[in-house]
Amino acid sequence: MEVKLKKDSFLKNINWRSFVMIFVLVFVWIIFSILTKGLFFSSRNLTLLLRQATILGTVAIGAVITIVTGNFDISVGSVVALNATIAAILDVNYGWGVFPIIIMVLLAGMTIGIWNGFLVAKVGIPSFIVTLGGMMLFRGVQLLISQGKTIGTMSDNFEKISNEFLSPTFSGTIIFLCFLLALVFIFLEKRFDSKYGINVPMGVVFMKILGFIIFFGLLFYMTYTYKGFPYPVVILAVLVVIATVMMTQTKFGRHLYATGGNAEAAELTGIRTNRTVLSAFLIMGILTGVAGILLVSRLSAAAPNAGLGLEMDAIASAVIGGTSIYGGVGTVIGAIIGSLILASIDNGMSLLNISSFTQYIIKGMILVSAVAFDVRMKGR
Amino acid sequence: MSKKTKYWSVFIAVIVMLLLLVPFSFGAKEEKPKGIMIAVSLPSMSQERWLIDNKLFSALGDKKGVGVIVQHANDDEKLQATQIENMLTQGIDALIIAPVNMDAIKPSVDAAKAEGIPVVAYGRIANNCDVDFFVARSNYSVGWEEAKLAVELYPKGNYVIISGDEGDLVAHEKTQGVLDYLDPYVKDGSIKIVSQQFTKMWTTENALRHAENALTAHNNDIVAFVCNNDSTALGALQAVEAQGMAGQVYIAGEDVEIPVAQAIVEGKITASFFTPLTTWTEETFRVVLELIDGKKPDYDSTLNNGFKDVPLIAIDAIPVTKDNMYEEIVKIGYHTVEEVYKNIPKDQWPSE
């Protein structure tokens, strides 16, 4: 009887939506690998694909965090552009070093996040309106301080942030250590479960191990046979780990979900929802700072129309990755998978030299299907 | 139990498929595509012009037996960087770039140079980087040719020069071409330049004001309006039309935009100048092939892009008039017959 119970909850615990999206991602990869005669799956392309997805991935994390609290941030593209422009001006016109610029840009992002959060949480304006205003406001500030011109070229050190790699040996070692760590976790979890009399079938444990072998094996193949991890991918990986731990293991994380799930109930249980929402926007602000730095470093310049439409791609990534637009549901990993799907479509189509028109059609279809799935699940 | 089995089987299917891919891609690396492959990165698709470039480059590739891949970047710098990265992944032998943003293309050029392949800037220079060659349009020749045609048609009289925005180097280059060609005629007194004004933002409205003022000041005694581009030429046309002089004075612009093309076939504007895309793409292709062969192509001059003096070939402009409109513009697909000859009775349309 007990075993039966556990089995049910195990199946319930699987995020089927995320699982479906992993499947879509693998499917997309297989299709492109076949069409490009393996070129898509070469370690070089996978490495570059990951790097191409980093800017979107970074803001997609922020999108999940805000959408989970039931709010949208559509000022992201403009804010990222503003942050990138601040970095470019400090570098090109004032000759600041890399670290002072990074700190300054993160502070700028944070300030903007607090501004948005304050208007939403304390003043009580709907987030869509606040950030729609922000979208225009921050684009305007960006155009004003750049005089509508492209600001570049960045110093060599700054350019390195996006264009350098950790050495293959070093990357390989990190991957191996992470793999060992994952095995230790599985072992500890199993022991913990057994201790409290929960009998997890060996099959499940085995499956988890197999999953990790594939995941880390793929990373190892990708990095070790090309140039190693690009810096931006390392940065994103660190952000993903921090955000995941924050969302799933901390009180603040549970407050985020509770606020989005049912704000009134959350308030009644003593959660200060206003503060939670403000914090969510603050985190989004910091992430736009990171994205701004990555963007300006990738192009070695800040352009007036940088980041245009980024907010929509970020929301799309989150939603494709299982975030509910009604709030209260969503995972960081899901959003990363979502952004990987979008970046893979860009990348594969580009390798095949197919026009960008078709890309929009396919992306739109995936997005709508994902939401359809969401709505149906909710309806049950 | 059945649900679990399903989960398992899906999972195993995924693993098997992934494992199948690995040998697949190792095979791909060894088998490098035979023959030369040239990549062309163009800024957008929303302007028809770049679609014609696409066609012309592809046709040149077919003619020379060289593989050509062309991608359009939707006017998005980041997308262009990604596309170039992906084209490099395909193992190309040379890269032709028309940057979306001349100042934000450096990392892409660096990446191509790291692969050791030649990079040629097409139409727009790439700044602050090691680009091998620049095939440009010659702005100077636009002004020079405009003045030459004007003198052929109106060897004596008062001339007005309507230049573009003063802050734009292009306007200065074109104007210099006009002034240099007219210089001997001005000296012998046959031609008098009665007005030379820069037009803020290149707008038709501002150009119209310059033209009106010149007509007023000289009591309509003006034979030629030499304009830096089509939008300023349209301003001159409006001023001239208001005085009932359309078709009786020389007006020339540059770019052959549709409204001007229509005015040309109606006989209201004399000519618009145009850098022939066929010559332009052919020259670019020739330069790229020479660079691939390790040769040093001849060049007209150099242009400093902030990193080095880039060798440059400038393609001369040609006049497009009523007589060659069909041949030069419609035939290559720059504009359609319907667009250009809209205001002309259908029986007078040119035929093949």
Side-chain angles (χ1 to χ4, degrees):
Chain A
M1 206 51 214
E2 212 180 282
V3 174
K4 178 91 172 70
L5 196 77
K6 183 60 206 164
K7 244 193 244 163
D8 272 356
S9 69
F10 163 68
L11 283 173
K12 258 187 209 155
N13 279 338
I14 297 173
N15 189 340
W16 282 99
R17 175 70 178 286
S18 291
F19 188 71
V20 168
M21 283 305 139
I22 291 179
F23 201 67
V24 169
L25 181 64
V26 172
F27 181 73
V28 166
W29 281 23
I30 289 168
I31 293 287
F32 280 133
S33 298
I34 292 169
L35 290 178
T36 60
K37 300 195 180 66
L39 189 63
F40 182 88
F41 207 72
S42 64
S43 53
R44 169 182 174 151
N45 191 54
L46 290 182
T47 304
L48 297 181
L49 166 64
L50 278 195
R51 190 170 72 182
Q52 288 163 7
T54 45
I55 296 173
L56 177 56
T58 308
V59 289
I61 297 175
V64 174
I65 296 174
T66 44
I67 297 174
V68 157
T69 66
N71 291 290
F72 283 95
D73 187 344
I74 58 168
S75 67
V76 170
S78 300
V79 179
V80 168
L82 176 56
N83 289 334
T85 306
I86 291 172
I89 289 177
L90 291 178
D91 181 305
V92 176
N93 298 356
Y94 295 93
W96 284 29
V98 172
F99 284 102
I101 293 178
I102 290 176
I103 290 167
M104 198 64 202
V105 169
L106 291 181
L107 281 175
M110 237 164 87
T111 315
I112 294 170
I114 292 173
W115 161 266
N116 279 339
F118 178 80
L119 291 178
V120 174
K122 305 282 178 182
V123 183
I125 309 172
S127 61
F128 185 80
I129 303 300
V130 169
T131 54
L132 179 64
M135 186 177 173
M136 300 182 228
L137 172 65
F138 299 121
R139 179 68 62 182
V141 174
Q142 184 247 342
L143 290 172
L144 189 71
I145 62 173
S146 66
Q147 290 296 307
K149 293 198 181 97
T150 302
I151 299 171
T153 305
M154 303 294 286
S155 62
D156 287 349
N157 279 339
F158 208 97
E159 228 178 81
K160 276 184 188 156
I161 299 173
S162 265
N163 297 306
E164 284 285 300
F165 296 82
L166 285 182
S167 77
T169 331
F170 193 45
S171 308
T173 316
I174 292 178
I175 292 167
F176 188 67
L177 290 178
C178 288
F179 178 59
L180 288 183
L181 208 65
L183 288 186
V184 171
F185 265 119
I186 292 175
F187 176 71
L188 286 179
E189 196 182 36
K190 170 85 179 140
R191 251 207 4 200
F192 182 84
D193 285 348
S194 315
K195 198 170 150 194
Y196 290 94
I198 304 167
N199 189 11
V200 180
M202 269 318 278
V204 174
V205 177
F206 181 63
M207 200 176 65
K208 274 186 183 167
I209 295 176
L210 206 59
F212 280 125
I213 289 177
I214 294 172
F215 178 69
F216 287 108
L218 204 62
L219 282 184
F220 190 79
Y221 155 71
M222 186 192 93
T223 53
Y224 200 72
T225 56
Y226 188 53
K227 288 184 182 169
F229 275 122
Y231 283 0
V233 174
V234 179
I235 295 171
L236 180 62
V238 171
L239 291 175
V240 168
V241 171
I242 295 174
T244 303
V245 170
M246 187 194 78
M247 296 282 276
T248 56
Q249 309 296 327
T250 67
K251 208 159 87 179
F252 174 66
R254 285 190 292 278
H255 289 181
L256 286 173
Y257 285 105
T259 304
N262 187 337
E264 271 174 49
E267 191 79 46
L268 288 174
T269 56
I271 296 171
R272 297 168 73 176
T273 52
N274 283 349
R275 190 187 270 186
T276 311
V277 170
L278 181 63
S279 309
F281 275 96
L282 188 150
I283 293 167
M284 178 57 133
I286 297 173
L287 290 169
T288 56
V290 177
I293 290 164
L294 292 178
L295 181 66
V296 72
S297 156
R298 176 150 165 81
L299 295 174
S300 187
N305 61 346
L308 222 55
L310 188 61
E311 59 281 342
M312 291 305 157
D313 280 343
I315 293 172
S317 301
V319 170
I320 289 173
T323 305
S324 164
I325 45 167
Y326 307 109
V329 179
T331 60
V332 172
I333 295 291
I336 296 297
I337 292 169
S339 53
L340 267 178
I341 290 176
L342 293 181
S344 299
I345 292 170
D346 273 343
N347 176 284
M349 294 269 188
S350 168
L351 284 181
L352 289 168
N353 303 309
I354 296 174
S355 80
S356 45
F357 302 154
T358 329
Q359 295 180 23
Y360 288 125
I361 297 173
I362 292 178
K363 284 184 197 168
M365 276 166 34
I366 291 182
L367 178 64
V368 174
S369 328
V371 179
F373 196 86
D374 187 41
V375 171
R376 258 197 70 199
M377 292 300 272
K378 194 101 177 171
R380 265 184 208 168
Chain B
M1 201 58 195
S2 74
K3 248 189 178 175
K4 202 174 148 197
T5 323
K6 214 195 284 172
Y7 185 39
W8 263 102
S9 51
V10 168
F11 196 78
I12 287 170
V14 170
I15 298 161
V16 171
M17 283 191 278
L18 276 178
L19 289 179
L20 279 175
L21 287 177
V22 175
F24 214 158
S25 52
F26 273 117
K29 243 186 271 167
E30 286 147 25
E31 178 206 317
K32 215 203 158 222
K34 289 181 192 100
I36 295 172
M37 179 81 93
I38 297 174
V40 184
S41 175
L42 300 175
S44 80
M45 257 187 164
S46 48
Q47 270 175 300
E48 209 152 18
R49 186 232 137 136
W50 299 113
L51 295 177
I52 298 169
D53 285 302
N54 184 336
K55 258 191 277 175
L56 291 173
F57 275 122
S58 305
L60 278 168
D62 291 344
K63 210 168 104 190
K64 311 249 173 179
V66 172
V68 171
I69 49 179
V70 186
Q71 298 195 358
H72 298 264
N74 262 337
D75 287 319
D76 176 350
E77 301 80 356
K78 197 164 135 271
L79 180 61
Q80 190 168 36
T82 303
Q83 287 181 338
I84 290 173
E85 210 163 78
N86 295 339
M87 292 197 284
L88 289 172
T89 303
Q90 295 180 54
I92 53 173
D93 299 281
L95 178 64
I96 298 171
I97 308 183
V100 169
N101 186 328
M102 301 185 297
D103 294 311
I105 196 75
K106 176 179 184 284
S108 300
V109 175
D110 289 351
K113 294 312 289 182
E115 301 280 320
I117 64 165
V119 179
V120 173
Y122 172 71
R124 300 175 181 175
I125 188 76
N127 277 332
N128 297 313
C129 54
D130 187 14
V131 55
D132 293 283
F133 213 92
F134 180 31
V135 187
R137 81 163 75 193
S138 165
N139 293 316
Y140 183 86
S141 92
V142 171
W144 180 273
E145 296 290 328
E146 276 183 330
K148 193 170 151 194
L149 184 65
V151 173
E152 260 170 44
L153 298 170
Y154 295 90
K156 276 187 187 344
N158 291 335
Y159 275 43
V160 173
I161 303 172
I162 300 182
S163 302
D165 193 289
E166 190 157 18
D168 193 339
L169 184 65
V170 172
H172 289 274
E173 286 175 357
K174 288 177 180 170
T175 307
Q176 199 54 49
V178 179
L179 293 173
D180 285 358
Y181 188 85
L182 291 182
D183 191 50
Y185 303 95
V186 171
K187 279 189 179 133
D188 74 15
S190 50
I191 285 168
K192 200 173 158 202
I193 298 170
V194 295
S195 162
Q196 190 261 309
Q197 299 268 320
F198 285 95
T199 310
K200 207 160 177 42
M201 305 294 289
W202 300 80
T203 61
T204 304
E205 204 185 319
N206 291 333
L208 167 62
R209 211 169 46 235
H210 294 325
E212 266 174 354
N213 294 344
L215 284 167
T216 312
H218 299 277
N219 204 14
N220 291 358
D221 181 18
I222 285 167
V223 295
F225 289 89
V226 185
C227 309
N228 271 181
N229 77 340
D230 275 358
S231 54
T232 49
L234 280 173
L237 175 63
Q238 278 174 25
V240 167
E241 266 186 327
Q243 298 301 318
M245 295 161 64
Q248 296 159 31
V249 294
Y250 176 87
I251 301 176
E254 191 221 357
D255 274 348
V256 202
E257 287 170 6
I258 289 171
V260 169
Q262 290 170 349
I264 290 174
V265 296
E266 287 173 65
K268 293 177 184 167
I269 287 181
T270 322
S272 184
F273 287 72
F274 181 68
T275 311
L277 294 176
T278 35
T279 325
W280 204 349
T281 49
E282 272 165 18
E283 280 294 288
T284 309
F285 220 75
R286 182 183 61 78
V287 165
V288 167
L289 290 177
E290 283 186 24
L291 285 169
I292 291 175
D293 286 345
K295 290 184 209 150
K296 288 221 157 75
D298 295 332
Y299 54 91
D300 299 339
S301 59
T302 61
L303 177 74
N304 193 296
N305 73 342
F307 176 82
K308 67 173 199 183
D309 290 321
V310 183
L312 168 151
I313 289 182
I315 309 296
D316 286 344
I318 55 161
V320 175
T321 62
K322 217 173 174 172
D323 302 327
N324 65 353
M325 177 68 73
Y326 185 77
E327 199 63 31
E328 295 291 342
I329 298 298
V330 178
K331 252 192 171 168
I332 65 160
Y334 196 66
H335 299 316
T336 63
V337 185
E338 289 78 15
E339 284 166 343
V340 176
Y341 294 92
K342 200 180 111 198
N343 304 326
I344 302 285
K346 220 165 185 168
D347 53 308
Q348 290 170 35
W349 282 16
S351 49
E352 288 290 339

